[in-house]
Amino acid sequence: MIAESELQKLRELEREHLRLINLDPLQRGGVLSPEARKALDTWGDGYSVCDFCTGRLDLIRSPPICQFVYEILPKFLVVDVARVTNGAREGKFMVMHSICKPGDTIVIDKNAHYTTYVAAERVGLNLKIVPNSGYPEFRINPEDYAKAIEEVKTETGKVPSLTLLTHPDGNYGNLPDAKRVAGISHEHSVPFLLNAAYGIGRMPVSCKEVDCDFVVGSGHKSMASSGPVGVFGTKKEYEDIILRRSKYFKSKEVELLGCTARGATVITLIASFNSVLRRVGEWEREVESARWFSQEMEKLGFNQLGEKPHNHDLMFIESKRLFEISQKHPQRGYFLYEELKKRGIVGIKPGLTKSFKLSTYRLGRPDLEKVVDAFKDILGHF
Ligand SMILES: *Cc1c(COP(=O)(O)O)cnc(C)c1O
């Protein structure tokens, strides 16, 4: 049994959590809307949507899962066909598992997320990696995809079975030219997967505009949802391949293992959708806010790595000064976490000082000013 004292601690942590400014990029876009928080309470029971099901989860009319999957989501992603998944990684795996064969090679970017690697590994794929430009911007040059595709052709005798771009990536928040990568892929007759786990739900993402063949997003990362939940989109021509039906259960889609998000996860995704739609419309303001923060941090002597001026709320900060302080501090690298916490700020990984990721998403100027002041104060203190 879990001790009552432990549960008490959990409740205290919960209360504290709500008071603090959280800079963790993983968490900023997944903060629930008030509607979703309420829905979570109502729909929190396991399989809570399933008593409305007549054989297929995504055909449930009320709650409006059917409308969400077949009308709202395709329109939002500007794509022919969409589905709700259990996360971005599940979406990537589905695509790789359906259109690639074990032993095939696929092309991915150097800034790809670890889940791209493990999804490919699970299918048994080889990877050709498009390099980034290295320090300080770590940019992906779309033209390098052409080179990588040619190399795969020379090495294996055939074109790669997929190209994938991380847009933006989860380290630097860089946004490479996805449309160009799509164009290059298609010139070589290679289908293209856009990983927009940090994009969809924060910024406008149009599959039509990019001309990607597949797109994946993450509900708990960027769509104000209680995960695990994600979204997937594809062109009509791939529908029958990716979403093929089971020969045993005619209505069930094999890659989805029949049903995906089946309870509070899909309900929070739906409950938050209108607020997500609104905030996507405010994306430019978020970019401005991120740029302002980056400039203020640079005035304090920090370096913002990745694209500059920056185009996303996730950024990578380098700090020689904080690292120097940590070398002499009795708590070593952990001092920064403690000092920020004292000032009501969390979300930077404990132990890090030399470089760390953070996100400014939906924090607003007053809170971001508090963060800048806290760093200034910490630098002045040692
Ligand atoms: C967080 C993240 C993922 C994983 O998303 P899940 O929905 O948890 O699978 C994949 N790719 C990138 C770039 C990410 O940042």
Side-chain angles (χ1 to χ4, degrees):
M1 218 168 90
I2 299 172
E4 181 54 34
S5 60
E6 287 299 325
L7 293 175
Q8 178 64 29
K9 251 189 258 166
L10 204 72
R11 286 191 286 269
E12 277 162 21
L13 271 176
E14 281 159 9
R15 273 194 295 276
E16 187 180 24
H17 178 77
L18 295 174
R19 272 201 317 270
L20 299 170
I21 296 175
N22 186 351
L23 300 172
D24 192 340
L26 273 181
Q27 296 177 323
R28 294 260 18 109
V31 175
L32 295 181
S33 63
E35 295 80 9
R37 209 172 285 284
K38 239 189 268 161
L40 191 57
D41 191 37
T42 313
W43 297 89
D45 295 338
Y47 284 120
S48 63
V49 300
C50 295
D51 45 345
F52 301 92
C53 185
T54 55
R56 211 169 127 154
L57 179 109
D58 57 12
L59 295 180
I60 294 175
R61 295 203 168 272
S62 178
I65 299 177
C66 183
Q67 190 199 13
F68 185 74
V69 173
Y70 292 93
E71 285 173 38
I72 293 173
L73 200 50
K75 201 167 148 207
F76 178 59
L77 301 172
V78 199
V79 74
D80 298 331
V81 181
R83 288 292 184 274
V84 170
T85 64
N86 285 322
R89 70 195 72 194
E90 282 80 0
K92 288 186 284 189
F93 176 73
M94 264 166 61
V95 172
M96 293 174 191
H97 190 238
S98 302
I99 68 160
C100 309
K101 281 194 283 306
D104 280 1
T105 303
I106 65 169
V107 175
I108 69 171
D109 57 294
K110 175 77 179 155
N111 297 343
H113 194 250
Y114 83 89
T115 54
T116 295
Y117 287 76
V118 292
E121 236 180 311
R122 190 177 175 192
V123 178
L125 304 177
N126 300 311
L127 301 172
K128 168 66 81 181
I129 297 166
V130 171
N132 62 34
S133 61
Y135 186 90
E137 291 204 282
F138 303 94
R139 283 179 190 264
I140 298 295
N141 177 5
E143 305 309 320
D144 289 342
Y145 272 78
K147 211 171 126 210
I149 292 170
E150 288 302 334
E151 281 172 17
V152 172
K153 236 159 109 181
T154 310
E155 289 159 16
T156 70
K158 56 180 188 176
V159 293
S161 45
L162 181 73
T163 50
L164 179 150
L165 178 68
T166 318
H167 189 80
D169 72 273
N171 261 336
Y172 309 106
N174 285 351
L175 283 160
D177 184 350
K179 197 172 173 170
R180 185 72 192 118
V181 176
I184 290 168
S185 304
H186 294 152
E187 277 164 30
H188 294 82
S189 304
V190 180
F192 170 55
L193 165 59
L194 186 72
N195 177 8
Y198 261 115
I200 293 168
R202 296 164 116 93
M203 53 188 281
V205 175
S206 162
C207 295
K208 193 171 169 198
E209 164 69 22
V210 171
D211 194 25
C212 56
D213 301 281
F214 318 103
V215 71
V216 299
S218 176
H220 42 281
K221 170 85 55 71
S222 300
M223 299 180 80
S225 307
S226 166
V229 69
V231 296
F232 164 75
T234 187
K235 288 180 178 172
K236 193 103 193 98
E237 60 191 279
Y238 290 101
E239 183 178 14
D240 291 343
I241 302 169
I242 312 267
L243 300 172
R244 66 197 178 282
R245 310 273 185 102
S246 161
K247 63 180 179 189
Y248 304 106
F249 293 86
K250 296 259 176 299
S251 70
K252 304 293 188 188
E253 289 163 345
V254 174
E255 288 295 344
L256 300 180
L257 295 178
C259 298
T260 58
R262 44 201 179 276
T265 60
V266 65
I267 292 294
T268 54
L269 185 70
I270 293 173
S272 278
F273 185 74
N274 288 354
S275 72
V276 164
L277 205 57
R278 272 195 301 278
R279 74 191 201 181
V280 167
E282 293 164 2
W283 176 244
E284 275 178 31
R285 216 175 66 196
E286 288 299 330
V287 174
E288 260 171 49
S289 180
R291 287 181 181 177
W292 174 85
F293 182 81
S294 159
Q295 282 167 5
E296 293 300 309
M297 291 293 276
E298 295 221 320
K299 282 184 204 160
L300 296 179
F302 295 98
N303 289 323
Q304 179 243 301
L305 305 186
E307 287 170 354
K308 233 171 7 190
H310 209 51
N311 299 306
H312 195 269
D313 56 271
L314 183 154
M315 62 184 88
F316 196 88
I317 301 286
E318 178 191 48
S319 168
K320 294 200 172 73
R321 183 74 195 105
L322 288 174
F323 181 65
E324 282 164 19
I325 296 170
S326 76
Q327 297 301 88
K328 295 183 202 122
H329 199 284
Q331 283 175 299
R332 307 290 284 191
Y334 292 87
F335 95 95
L336 180 60
Y337 179 82
E338 294 303 330
E339 290 295 328
L340 284 171
K341 186 94 185 272
K342 274 190 224 162
R343 292 165 177 82
I345 297 160
V346 290
I348 288 173
K349 275 215 182 89
L352 296 184
T353 52
K354 201 181 198 167
S355 56
F356 45 84
K357 295 194 279 189
L358 56 79
S359 162
T360 55
Y361 193 55
R362 308 287 298 169
L363 277 174
R365 195 55 71 80
D367 274 357
L368 291 178
E369 277 170 8
K370 259 188 232 167
V371 176
V372 172
D373 286 347
F375 275 109
K376 194 171 174 180
D377 201 34
I378 293 167
L379 289 175
H381 199 268
F382 292 95

